[in-house]
């Protein structure tokens, strides 16, 4: 029998991290680079397909803005994202107010993705209910040499990526880049992405190491928008042209994408450093990072064009004490402080062009997160893990708009290319200063009968303050009018342009239990949780998709099951399964009763079967299955249909340096809604459905030297 080759330093490090994840008393997952799919376009949804409890719903395909949520937090937020802490090398991509642009998270450039669900994210400085995603970059030490890949295929897709890692003595460095372009499946659906980054590590001594990293990401993409259900099934490639005027009103409410041409152009620059010092049982970790974000979003006319430009600074200090060299420290504490500001401008969207300014704000925020926790062995294989977190946050807005009136525009609903007379509304100040603070204790009890299994139960509190986009939103727009003009024909109707609700932070009490382990050819990870939420933050939209602002929902409950499993059936056949069950409900709401919260699929299944035909050739089939209808609105009157989509993938290793891959996505060309708008009260004829890509063919080659 040929002995296995010795593990590399990278493999040894990954094994240590994996074992540590195995013993954590909560919902976690580790996805090393080798388990990410070789695909023509590695989006975040494809990267997280096999992680139960993480729900990613594609909006327009490509590198755009999928809706991503963990345990329902941030469920109804899109395109503005919150509810999850998104990190790169342990420093946040989120802005200081908690908002983030999901497209800046790039699995293509990750050596591993760490997933923390629920209270497990508190130790990372999270002040959210959902959890955290940490994208860990490769280094010159664990990824030496040169790698390059290129791929392309259907819908005008072209991708290139590469990296070069180097180590000499006590210094290592790595440079990465990737680009992608798609014309898109739909008629108005192009997207482009450019990302460059790198890091340099210096071993100052045997005990002290420093790493400096930086990166730049630029995204721009067309926002193809929703369709009515009938239009989606008739032709999923089309884009919507707005409601149809009929005697007595209008039918088929929704945005006029053809006229308004919604579009996003966003970029982020990131620079940071992390220094780790280990002295016996003591570990000190110091990190600092800065991001500058430039975001222009051309919404449909009801919200206009928003520009947001500003920077955010994060400082982090962590200490851990581990006298027994156990997998988890006996004690650890973290302090993270983030502060940032941004200039935001609001402009009219006039036929897809930037029109007159109607608002200007100076937004600032700061968030302080403190954490302290223990992992105390109490008896044989039992561990008690109490912890407490504290969060303090401010959200300030200084209204800089000085004109006496705010302009409005409108198009004739019967002829939506014809402008009606312009209007103007008296300016009302939108300034505010809000402060939030809260404690989040937790306690967990875990049992390890052997080195391959962990059982745990846990109870926790969580705290999540609103973002600036929750606290400041345009309102009273329609598919044919700008904000503040609910009646197109009458520009003098008095209506607010903005709403600044006095929102409370949302909090939750959660109980959960789980069991993960490995045995022979099988591995599994199962978690069940139940959360009681107070003041859940919901971003509401009307039947046309126009914003009507955010609210605190009062009492809601989130119940879920997160199940992952893998099995090696034979030496050649293996299978994997990720199953997520979600039951999120209002509790005795005056308007919504005990309805399901909109936008949450109740069942999601991702199953994969792989055949390793030879050492060089692999075949893989996967199905994404949503077996139950999903409510589009909180009133539970309109639903997205169940669907199942089958993908096929193959890979062939030519030699040690080259391999080729190919895939067919949506093999049976299924027409389905990959996501929907989330509205409060829907109409059967409204445009709320976002079609997934049709059948696509992709191929590529990867080289490694």
């Amino acid at each position: 029998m040929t002995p296995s080759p010795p593990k590399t330093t990278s493999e040894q490090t990954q094994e240590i991290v994996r074992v540590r994840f195995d013993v954590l008393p909560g919902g976690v997952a580790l996805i090393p680079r080798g388990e990410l799919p070789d695909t023509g376009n590695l989006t975040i949804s494809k990267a997280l397909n096999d992680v139960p409890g993480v729900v990613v719903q594609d909006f327009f395909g490509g590198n755009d803005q999928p809706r991503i949520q963990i345990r329902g937090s941030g469920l109804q937020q899109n395109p503005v994202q919150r509810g999850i802490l998104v990190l790169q090398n342990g420093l946040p991509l989120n802005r200081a107010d908690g908002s983030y642009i999901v497209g800046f998270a790039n699995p293509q450039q990750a050596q591993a993705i760490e997933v923390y669900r629920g209270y497990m994210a508190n130790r990372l400085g999270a002040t959210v209910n959902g959890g955290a995603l940490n994208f860990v970059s490769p280094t010159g030490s664990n990824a030496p040499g040169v790698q390059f890949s290129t791929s392309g295929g259907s819908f005008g897709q072209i991708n290139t990526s590469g990296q070069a890692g180097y180590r000499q003595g006590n210094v290592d460095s790595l440079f990465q880049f990737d680009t992608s372009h798609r014309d898109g499946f739909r008629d108005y659906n192009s997207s482009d992405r450019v990302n460059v980054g790198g890091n340099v590590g210096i071993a100052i001594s045997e005990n002290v190491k420093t790493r400096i990293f930086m990166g730049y990401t630029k995204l721009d993409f067309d926002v193809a928008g929703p369709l009515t259900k009938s239009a989606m099934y008739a032709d999923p490639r089309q884009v919507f042209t707005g409601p149809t005027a009929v005697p007595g009103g209008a039918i088929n409410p929704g945005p006029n994408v053809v006229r308004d041409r919604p579009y996003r152009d966003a970029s982020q620059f990131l620079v940071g450093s992390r220094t780790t010092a280990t002295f016996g049982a003591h570990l000190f970790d110091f990190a600092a990072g800065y991001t500058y974000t430039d975001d222009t979003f051309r919404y449909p006319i009801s919200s206009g064009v928003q520009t947001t430009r500003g920077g955010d600074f994060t400082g982090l200090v962590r200490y851990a004490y581990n006298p027994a060299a156990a997998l988890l420290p006996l004690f650890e504490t973290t302090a993270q402080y983030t502060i940032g500001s941004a200039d935001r401008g609001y402009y009219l969207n006039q036929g897809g062009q930037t029109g007159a300014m109607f608002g200007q704000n100076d937004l600032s925020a700061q968030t302080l997160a403190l954490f302290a926790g223990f992992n105390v062995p109490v008896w044989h294989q039992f561990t008690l893990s109490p912890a407490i977190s504290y969060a303090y946050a401010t959200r300030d807005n200084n209204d800089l708009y000085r004109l006496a009136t705010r302009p409005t525009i409108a198009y004739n609903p019967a002829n939506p290319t014809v402008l009606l007379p312009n209007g103007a509304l008296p300016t009302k100040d939108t300034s505010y200063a809000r402060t939030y603070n809260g404690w989040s204790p937790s306690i967990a009890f875990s049992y390890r009968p052997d080195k391959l299994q962990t059982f745990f139960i846990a109870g926790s509190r969580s705290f999540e303050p609103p973002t600036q986009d929750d606290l400041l939103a345009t309102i009273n727009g329609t598919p044919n009018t700008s904000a503040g003009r609910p009646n197109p024909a009458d520009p003098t109707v008095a209506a607010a342009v903005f709403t600044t609700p006095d929102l409370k932070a949302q909090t939750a009490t959660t109980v959960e239990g789980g069991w993960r382990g490995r045995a022979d050819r099988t591995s599994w990870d199962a978690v069940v949780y139940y959360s009681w939420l107070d003041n859940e933050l919901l971003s509401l939209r009307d039947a046309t998709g126009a914003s009507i602002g955010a609210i605190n929902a009062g009492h809601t409950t989130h119940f879920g099951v997160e199940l992952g499993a893998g099995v090696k059936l034979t030496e050649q056949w293996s299978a994997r399964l990720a199953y997520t069950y979600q039951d999120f409900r209002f509790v005795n709401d005056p308007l919504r009763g005990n309805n399901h919260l909109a936008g949450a699929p109740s069942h999601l299944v991702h199953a994969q079967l792989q055949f390793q035909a030879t050492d060089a050739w692999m075949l893989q089939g996967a199905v994404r299955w949503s077996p139950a209808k999903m409510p589009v609105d909180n009133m539970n009157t309109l639903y997205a249909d169940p669907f199942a989509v089958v993908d096929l993938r193959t890979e062939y290793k030519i030699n040690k340096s080259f391999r080729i891959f190919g895939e067919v996505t949506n093999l049976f060309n299924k027409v389905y809604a990959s996501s929907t708008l989330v509205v409060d009260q829907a109409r059967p004829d409204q445009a709320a459905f976002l079609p997934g890509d049709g059948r696509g063919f992709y191929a590529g080659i990867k080289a490694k030297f």
Side-chain angles (χ1 to χ4, degrees):
M1 183 176 179
T2 304
S4 300
K7 292 185 177 181
T8 64
T9 302
S10 174
E11 291 172 334
Q12 291 174 348
T13 301
Q14 287 185 14
E15 183 62 23
I16 292 171
V17 174
R18 181 182 291 280
V19 173
R20 185 175 301 148
F21 268 63
D22 286 344
V23 303
L24 285 170
V28 295
L30 178 67
I31 314 170
R33 178 70 196 183
E35 295 182 11
L36 293 173
D38 284 326
T39 174
N41 188 26
L42 183 59
T43 61
I44 193 168
S45 59
K46 291 180 180 178
L48 298 175
N49 264 337
D50 288 328
V51 182
V54 181
V55 177
V56 186
Q57 297 167 302
D58 286 326
F59 260 46
F60 316 120
N63 294 298
D64 53 40
Q65 50 183 36
R67 178 189 293 125
I68 180 169
Q69 53 98 353
I70 299 176
R71 298 186 175 182
S73 188
L75 169 67
Q76 300 197 353
Q77 304 297 114
N78 198 280
V80 177
Q81 303 272 359
R82 65 155 175 78
I84 298 173
L85 177 63
V86 183
L87 305 156
Q88 183 172 322
N89 300 310
L91 287 172
L93 298 179
N94 299 59
R95 308 216 59 215
D97 70 336
S99 62
Y100 66 94
I101 299 174
V102 68
F104 291 150
N106 187 5
Q108 182 68 43
Q109 292 194 354
Q111 181 74 9
I113 303 174
E114 300 172 350
V115 181
Y116 302 84
R117 304 192 295 273
Y119 86 101
M120 295 305 298
N122 290 353
R123 62 182 295 271
L124 303 177
T127 55
V128 293
N129 292 156
L133 302 173
N134 185 28
F135 293 79
V136 181
S137 299
T139 68
S141 294
N142 61 30
V146 177
Q147 300 180 36
F148 178 80
S149 70
T150 183
S151 64
S154 298
F155 319 129
Q157 183 169 300
I158 301 173
N159 300 82
T160 60
S161 66
Q163 72 178 46
Y166 173 79
R167 179 176 181 178
Q168 180 67 44
N170 64 337
V171 178
D172 70 73
S173 62
L174 183 128
F175 170 78
Q176 294 177 295
F177 78 91
D178 73 89
T179 68
S180 68
H181 169 81
R182 268 173 57 105
D183 295 331
F185 170 66
R186 299 177 63 190
D187 292 340
Y188 177 70
N189 196 193
S190 68
S191 65
D192 288 278
R193 177 192 183 102
V194 175
N195 185 280
V196 293
N199 60 79
V200 176
I202 304 171
I204 299 173
S205 69
E206 185 178 345
N207 299 325
V208 181
K209 298 177 175 61
T210 292
R211 187 162 301 277
I212 301 169
F213 48 88
M214 63 179 59
Y216 175 79
T217 303
K218 180 173 174 55
L219 310 169
D220 59 88
F221 52 87
D222 300 329
V223 179
L227 296 171
T228 64
K229 183 180 281 191
S230 60
M232 179 185 71
Y233 284 120
D235 179 9
R237 290 179 177 267
Q238 66 181 307
V239 292
F240 203 58
T241 57
T244 303
V246 297
I251 59 173
N252 302 324
N256 190 328
V257 174
V258 173
R259 181 196 63 211
D260 296 340
R261 302 185 69 79
Y263 172 83
R264 192 167 201 172
D265 182 353
S267 63
Q268 186 177 74
F269 170 76
L270 176 150
V271 61
S273 68
R274 179 179 292 273
T275 298
T276 301
T278 305
F279 302 100
H282 305 276
L283 181 144
F284 299 89
D285 197 10
F286 307 93
Y290 175 79
T291 59
Y292 182 83
T293 305
D294 187 343
D295 181 22
T296 298
F297 201 129
R298 187 167 65 221
Y299 290 84
I301 188 174
S302 60
S303 293
V305 180
Q306 294 182 20
T307 61
T308 307
R309 298 181 179 93
D312 300 87
F313 171 81
T314 297
L316 179 146
V317 179
R318 177 175 177 262
Y319 167 73
Y321 176 62
N322 194 354
L327 293 172
L328 299 178
L330 177 64
F331 171 73
E332 63 178 324
T333 184
T334 303
Q336 180 172 295
Y337 178 68
T338 304
I339 185 170
S341 62
D343 295 323
R344 175 168 291 175
Y346 293 85
Y347 304 84
L348 299 175
N349 179 349
Q350 188 162 331
Q353 301 296 318
T354 301
M357 174 181 281
F358 66 89
Q360 185 179 11
N361 303 87
D362 177 21
L363 306 175
S364 59
Q366 59 179 331
T367 302
L368 171 67
L370 305 176
F371 170 84
F374 293 86
N375 297 285
V376 183
V378 291
W379 185 62
H380 295 296
Q381 296 94 354
F382 292 89
T383 301
L384 184 67
S385 301
I388 192 164
S389 300
Y390 173 75
Y392 174 85
T394 63
R395 308 286 186 257
D396 297 331
N397 165 32
N398 182 20
D399 193 338
L400 302 178
Y401 188 79
R402 296 293 179 252
L403 299 182
T405 60
R406 301 185 191 271
T408 66
I409 60 171
Y411 289 88
N412 187 336
N415 190 350
T417 61
V418 176
L419 275 167
L420 296 172
N422 294 339
L425 297 168
T427 297
K428 294 183 179 180
D429 192 277
T430 64
S431 300
Y432 55 77
R434 307 278 164 74
T435 300
Y436 305 90
N437 63 87
W439 294 90
S440 300
S442 65
I443 188 166
F445 191 63
S446 57
Y447 168 60
R448 296 193 72 205
D450 54 48
K451 293 183 178 181
L452 299 179
Q453 297 184 79
T454 299
F455 296 84
F456 71 87
I457 57 173
S460 62
R461 288 277 292 173
S462 58
F463 172 87
E464 182 173 341
T467 67
Q468 300 283 23
D469 295 285
D470 295 317
L471 296 167
L472 176 66
T474 56
I475 56 172
N476 290 319
T478 78
N480 288 299
T481 69
S482 60
R485 190 165 171 176
N487 185 340
D490 190 348
T492 65
V493 173
V497 179
F498 294 96
T499 181
T500 55
D502 188 8
L503 298 173
K504 299 177 181 178
Q506 70 177 28
T507 58
T509 300
T510 302
V511 294
E512 59 187 287
W515 177 31
R516 72 172 65 91
R518 300 189 301 275
D520 192 23
R521 294 171 172 263
T522 306
S523 62
W524 63 91
D525 188 352
V527 178
V528 179
Y529 68 90
Y530 195 96
S531 298
W532 295 264
L533 282 81
D534 289 322
N535 300 311
E536 181 166 4
L537 292 161
L538 302 179
S539 181
L540 303 182
R541 296 183 177 274
D542 65 16
T544 72
S547 171
I548 55 178
I551 65 166
N552 289 120
H555 300 297
T556 54
T557 59
H558 291 194
F559 170 61
V561 177
E562 303 162 343
L563 174 63
V567 59
K568 190 172 179 63
L569 301 168
T570 69
E571 290 304 313
Q572 292 179 301
W573 290 92
S574 60
R576 298 172 71 175
L577 172 73
Y579 169 69
T580 300
Y581 172 74
Q582 302 178 126
D583 185 3
F584 305 155
R585 292 179 181 269
F586 295 93
V587 178
N588 298 324
D589 186 90
L591 294 176
R592 306 165 189 89
N594 296 321
N595 286 353
H596 291 278
L597 272 73
S602 56
H603 303 271
L604 275 179
V605 179
H606 184 260
Q608 178 180 294
L609 182 65
Q610 180 169 310
F611 176 57
Q612 193 69 45
T614 67
D615 290 341
W617 183 29
M618 178 273 291
L619 292 168
Q620 187 183 95
V623 60
R624 291 170 286 137
W625 182 28
S626 180
K629 62 182 183 179
M630 183 191 76
V632 171
D633 66 332
N634 292 322
M635 298 298 182
N636 295 178
T637 62
L638 183 64
Y639 290 85
D641 295 332
F643 67 85
V645 176
V646 176
D647 300 330
L648 297 180
R649 186 175 296 119
T650 187
E651 178 185 305
Y652 182 76
K653 296 180 181 179
I654 300 173
N655 52 41
K656 291 183 178 180
S657 298
F658 294 94
R659 56 180 172 170
I660 56 175
F661 61 89
E663 62 180 331
V664 183
T665 59
N666 195 355
L667 175 65
F668 300 108
N669 204 28
K670 173 71 174 178
V671 177
Y672 70 105
S674 60
S675 186
T676 72
L677 297 186
V678 174
V679 298
D680 200 39
Q681 171 70 69
R683 285 177 40 162
D685 61 339
Q686 82 173 87
F689 299 87
L690 296 151
D693 284 356
R695 183 189 297 117
F697 300 89
Y698 306 92
I701 184 169
K702 290 192 173 186
K704 183 177 181 180
F705 305 98

